[in-house]
Amino acid sequence: MLSHVKIIDLTSHLGAFSGRMLAELGATVIKAEPESGDPLRENPEAFTAWNHGKRSVVAPPYTSAFSALMAEADIVIRTTGIPHRYLQDLRPNIIDVVISGFMPGSETLSEPVSDFTLMARSGLMTIVGDPDRPPLTLPGEQAYALGAIQAVTGALTALHERALTGKGQLVEVSAFQSAVLANYREPLTWAWTGKTGNRTGNLLVRGKSGVRQVWACKDGFVTWALVDNPAMMKSFIRVMGEHAGELSEIRWEEILVADMPQAQLENWEAHIAGFFMQHDKATLAAWSAENGLGLSQIDTPDDCLTSSQHAARELWVDINDVKYPGPLWASSESTTPPVRRAPALDEGRQAFLGGRI
């Protein structure tokens, strides 16, 4: 898909995922590294996760090797600190993608960041966890990943524009802003009411009451909630059969679940909790798919690694006998990177610089 595109990747940790995604789309992504290599190489598992599918050349900015790579480049991915004008002089129609913690030009740009601090400042952690316990972050490095996704979107948009006009562009992405925008509800609540959200634990609060979201079942957990969807609720009660009890007497189209007293909801949920405990999550998920119940099973890490669905779409790739996430999408067009491993330092020098440098 992007086999005609050559990308210079100057990122280390923040932004590295964007190059990996573009490599999954078939682009040639070259890590231009310092003599000492990317500092992330000190953590081999993390380095592999963010960089498999890329190539490597020791070619830091302001060197002849870097200038030679730039002469054939379409896109540069980097953090701040390098003048855009310098890259433009090397390659006038270059697409320059800058990804940083905060937006270039902002007062907070120089502040040190980590994925954890970006998640905390974004407001996402404020609403994750139980109300009587400290806030939690999400698994993985979500702010870094969200920023990288926006960087890829910007790079592809600029690439399309360059195909039409012949002109390169400067694309600037803030990982902080990317994380804020991923939380669609709280920024709007703040804008309209001046209030921030609260952690509600295992309750989805809408209206006057809250409904449970995560349920124990026979062999694990599933997620489902009582909602104002009469057709779905009738299907659910039908599947419950004789276990529905008093729930089968409710005329769902005549009530508003969000306005029901909390004690009433908890009484109904007790029937549902008992029903879930009699069945395993695979059976419940299958019934949901057949009957439109809106239920999903909650996978353990082992479930994710052994999932037949993930295997069918080739999500996992084996690198040095370790499973890593591979392509994030399935396509009828092969976009597999030419190398399915993390690059050794400077291994691409001959291929990309030949005898020139």
Side-chain angles (χ1 to χ4, degrees):
M1 195 174 298
L2 295 181
S3 59
H4 60 294
V5 175
K6 186 171 289 184
I7 298 171
I8 308 301
D9 185 347
L10 290 167
T11 66
S12 175
H13 199 172
L14 173 61
F17 187 41
S18 54
R20 222 211 78 196
M21 283 191 284
L22 291 165
E24 295 285 0
L25 286 170
T28 299
V29 181
I30 305 167
K31 283 184 66 66
E33 301 190 63
E35 290 281 354
S36 56
D38 180 349
L40 194 59
R41 287 184 179 276
E42 295 180 4
N43 184 339
E45 289 79 16
F47 181 79
T48 299
W50 293 117
N51 291 287
H52 67 76
K54 300 180 185 178
R55 312 296 292 274
S56 169
V57 175
V58 170
Y62 308 109
T63 64
S64 57
F66 182 76
S67 298
L69 292 179
M70 281 291 295
E72 299 177 348
D74 298 288
I75 299 172
V76 170
I77 305 171
R78 63 183 178 93
T79 54
T80 55
I82 302 172
H84 175 60
R85 185 68 192 180
Y86 163 66
L87 299 173
Q88 267 192 319
D89 288 343
L90 294 174
R91 182 74 161 165
N93 65 346
I94 193 71
I95 294 168
D96 181 13
V97 181
V98 183
I99 178 169
S100 51
F102 300 99
M103 189 60 76
S106 67
E107 294 180 356
T108 52
L109 177 62
S110 61
E111 295 183 8
V113 299
S114 67
D115 186 83
F116 186 81
T117 62
L118 290 171
M119 288 294 289
R121 295 182 70 153
S122 75
L124 280 168
M125 286 177 61
T126 304
I127 59 172
V128 178
D130 294 312
D132 59 342
R133 303 180 69 179
L136 299 173
T137 191
L138 300 176
E141 295 177 308
Q142 296 294 324
Y144 283 12
L146 289 164
I149 291 169
Q150 297 297 335
V152 169
T153 302
L156 294 178
T157 303
L159 195 63
H160 176 69
E161 179 67 14
R162 195 184 71 172
L164 298 175
T165 66
K167 297 180 179 178
Q169 290 194 42
L170 172 63
V171 178
E172 294 177 322
V173 174
S174 153
F176 165 68
Q177 190 174 17
S178 301
V180 171
L181 294 176
N183 182 358
Y184 70 94
R185 180 175 172 177
E186 304 312 320
L188 291 176
T189 301
W190 170 260
W192 283 93
T193 69
K195 298 178 180 178
T196 58
N198 299 312
R199 291 184 295 285
T200 58
N202 189 20
L203 282 181
L204 174 63
V205 179
R206 288 177 176 167
K208 300 177 180 177
S209 308
V211 293
R212 195 186 304 186
Q213 299 181 91
V214 177
W215 305 74
C217 64
K218 192 173 182 179
D219 63 343
F221 296 91
V222 295
T223 178
W224 182 82
L226 278 162
V227 293
D228 286 304
N229 183 332
M232 190 193 82
M233 289 307 305
K234 289 178 181 177
S235 292
F236 189 83
I237 299 306
R238 185 174 61 254
V239 170
M240 288 184 72
E242 62 182 15
H243 300 288
E246 65 183 279
L247 296 177
S248 61
E249 304 298 325
I250 299 171
R251 302 175 71 86
W252 296 99
E253 63 277 356
E254 296 179 3
I255 68 168
L256 193 60
V257 172
D259 284 345
M260 296 302 294
Q262 189 67 41
Q264 180 66 75
L265 290 174
E266 291 175 1
N267 179 53
W268 291 347
E269 288 178 337
H271 290 277
I272 297 166
F275 171 70
F276 282 152
M277 286 302 295
Q278 295 179 4
H279 304 285
D280 60 56
K281 55 190 178 186
T283 299
L284 292 169
W287 285 343
S288 177
E290 293 168 3
N291 297 278
L293 306 183
L295 176 148
S296 299
Q297 70 179 52
I298 297 177
D299 287 341
T300 64
D302 283 341
D303 291 334
C304 293
L305 291 171
T306 58
S307 163
S308 59
Q309 291 190 29
H310 293 337
R313 59 186 297 277
E314 300 178 344
L315 173 65
W316 302 110
V317 294
D318 286 307
I319 302 173
N320 298 329
D321 297 325
V322 177
K323 288 184 182 295
Y324 288 90
L328 300 179
W329 45 79
S331 172
S332 57
E333 183 176 348
S334 175
T335 59
T336 304
V339 289
R340 182 60 82 187
R341 57 179 173 75
L345 182 63
D346 206 31
E347 69 169 20
R349 172 167 290 273
Q350 181 63 33
F352 296 108
L353 295 180
R356 291 178 291 168
I357 306 297

